[in-house]
Amino acid sequence: MRKYPLLRNPYFDILYYSNDLKIKGGFAKIRQTRAVMTSLSETGRQNFDLSRHSPVLKTFWRKKMKTYRKELWFEVPTRRAFINITPHVEACLGESGIKEGFLLANAMHITASVFINDDESGLHHDYDIWLEKLAPHEPVSGYRHNVGEDNADAHMKRQIMGREVVVAVTKGRLDFGPWEQIFYGEFDGRRKKRVLIKIIGE
Amino acid sequence: MRKYPLLRNPYFDILYYSNDLKIKGGFAKIRQTRAVMTSLSETGRQNFDLSRHSPVLKTFWRKKMKTYRKELWFEVPTRRAFINITPHVEACLGESGIKEGFLLANAMHITASVFINDDESGLHHDYDIWLEKLAPHEPVSGYRHNVGEDNADAHMKRQIMGREVVVAVTKGRLDFGPWEQIFYGEFDGRRKKRVLIKIIGE
Amino acid sequence: MRKYPLLRNPYFDILYYSNDLKIKGGFAKIRQTRAVMTSLSETGRQNFDLSRHSPVLKTFWRKKMKTYRKELWFEVPTRRAFINITPHVEACLGESGIKEGFLLANAMHITASVFINDDESGLHHDYDIWLEKLAPHEPVSGYRHNVGEDNADAHMKRQIMGREVVVAVTKGRLDFGPWEQIFYGEFDGRRKKRVLIKIIGE
């Protein structure tokens, strides 16, 4: 018999021949929520549950590069704090459906940090003392930046701890060593601030 | 009628059926500058303004992963300086045509930094004082590295401020919080040095 | 003559028409190790050395986004050390076959660092003295983290030097400035530890 293609569509990297689905030509539209393809073809509108068709089809639509974006919001009641955001980041990764790629987590504010280290309260206490020693909050007047604000030290603490982390995504998981955990480091809190999660891959 | 494909080409992720364009088979070549396809086919050389054809076609060529690279050159007349390079980076992103992905900006020299913080001159003054306190330039002889050079302190200042930033690209824009700006931090200037911009995505 | 497609397969982004290879329809499977395509088609099982066929074909399978992962293991006999890992990282990049993209190198342990700077022993000596000044190992009891361990200072030294680097990959090479080299920075050695190399691109 004659064979006709389904043209590829913007959502999935799909093209294949119709014998399997008994479609004759036309465009394919796919609703992501359910793996259902609606074909507008010579034989009129048709629906197909793709999950019941050839694995070839399934492989097609994993191929397009995927991207994912989410903002995590925090309001820390104190000036400084360290918050373990690993579970939130893992939830984003799960939502994204991305299996292989890179994940970026960065503070969207310049007096905060995203960093990877140990989830140990003693260490967090030591970090706080240490950062205060390297970039003391007082005297506030010691910083030219502190005109009408008092957070110059937070801009420095953030540079030491870093703005962002890039994490490898492997088999759908954060590709971490034994003790790696992701933290939001707040150095000028008591207001709503954000962390950006961006994931690219497939 | 019989249908023939255009084979896909290396520049764009394009394949589709010819009825729309009345082409019979052959290879497609596309000049990126104008969305014009030249087809070398059984019916000879033909040109098509793709923008006047099916939206399906247009979606095809957004699919290939894109990469972009550019070097930004700086020659700072002083030993140390902070330069806001955000407009240059935004121009690179525009040039790249990449809408979703990651942008890397890194110093290509090991006595300079690329970092994200506030565009506020008071803060930059504070950074300069603070970095000089943590890693003083003098006494030059205090560093074993300073044999025939005097920039050991610059190698340290750069580690505190960081070599690179990775920025999320969303809808063709740098995905920034309210005050984020990208700076080139020079700690051993008075000569030509470079920042690398690399963007991947689609 | 009639033309039939080879359906695309999960390993390579390949679809094209059979006249070139005299295949009539069917699925294509490709063994990555040798560029040999086995076609299960109407004319039965056939093998083709793809490298001897159209360049169009070759361009197809560079299109899928590639990812690569490797762990580099280190056991440093001393507490602290800097090791130039650039040759290992270049070997990974060669293995990956990735020509354009990003390379991530990160310490998988939270008392170690991956950073980019100069391969100069005097500078490494200066770094060691400087980091010890900013985050001294002694007195061990000065850190609340040091309960049953003595590496709190290593958690701090690692934050100054950084966990990771992201390097642009251009034309299959690390896209480096004149003196950039990648180092593993160990601050709590005398045991096996890992660096993760992850590369994405095409």
Side-chain angles (χ1 to χ4, degrees), chain A residues 18-173:
Chain A
S18 57
N19 293 11
D20 178 12
L21 294 187
K22 304 278 172 291
I23 298 169
K24 289 192 175 175
F27 288 74
K29 240 184 177 350
I30 291 177
R31 267 162 286 126
Q32 201 155 8
T33 46
R34 292 161 46 223
V36 168
M37 177 169 64
T38 303
S39 150
L40 304 169
S41 70
E42 299 172 10
T43 58
R45 188 182 190 76
Q46 290 167 277
N47 286 320
F48 304 94
D49 177 349
L50 296 178
S51 58
R52 295 174 43 217
H53 290 285
S54 79
V56 176
L57 239 184
K58 294 197 198 69
T59 65
F60 288 169
W61 66 32
R62 275 206 315 272
K63 283 184 137 170
K64 185 159 184 257
M65 179 182 158
K66 282 186 187 168
T67 65
Y68 172 93
R69 178 193 194 275
K70 189 158 201 173
E71 293 177 2
L72 306 176
W73 284 83
F74 301 94
E75 185 163 9
V76 174
T78 54
R79 180 182 294 273
R80 291 194 293 272
F82 299 119
I83 300 168
N84 187 340
I85 62 172
T86 314
H88 303 293
V89 178
E90 282 169 339
C92 291
L93 182 54
E95 246 177 68
S96 75
I98 291 171
K99 300 299 179 200
E100 293 291 324
F102 282 177
L103 180 146
L104 170 70
N106 68 267
M108 298 183 78
H109 299 260
I110 52 190
T111 53
S113 176
V114 171
F115 67 95
I116 287 175
N117 216 298
D118 196 0
D119 194 1
E120 198 279 297
S121 61
L123 179 66
H124 298 174
H125 168 86
D126 295 334
Y127 272 141
D128 194 46
I129 302 291
W130 178 65
L131 291 168
E132 189 55 22
K133 199 184 86 201
L134 293 183
H137 179 66
E138 302 282 359
V140 168
S141 61
Y143 298 99
R144 195 174 289 187
H145 177 64
N146 287 339
V147 178
E149 45 188 345
D150 66 353
N151 64 5
D153 64 302
H155 289 277
M156 282 149 205
K157 290 169 167 124
R158 122 61 173 261
Q159 287 310 119
I160 288 176
M161 298 305 276
R163 167 192 179 252
E164 78 217 10
V165 294
V166 175
V167 181
V169 173
T170 302
K171 296 179 178 151
R173 311 291 300 274

Side-chain angles (χ1 to χ4, degrees), chain C residues 29 71 73 81 86 99 107 110 138 155 174 193 197 200:
Chain C
K29 244 187 176 345
E71 293 178 1
W73 285 83
T86 315
K99 302 297 180 200
I110 53 190
E138 301 283 359
H155 289 276
L174 299 174
K193 289 162 84 171
I197 307 297
I200 68 171

Side-chain angles (χ1 to χ4, degrees), chain A residues 100 120 126 170 175 180, chain C residues 69 144-145 158 163 198:
Chain A
E100 293 291 324
E120 198 279 297
D126 295 334
T170 302
D175 199 335
E180 290 189 283
Chain C
R69 180 193 193 274
R144 196 175 287 186
H145 177 65
R158 123 62 173 261
R163 167 192 180 251
K198 183 93 180 187

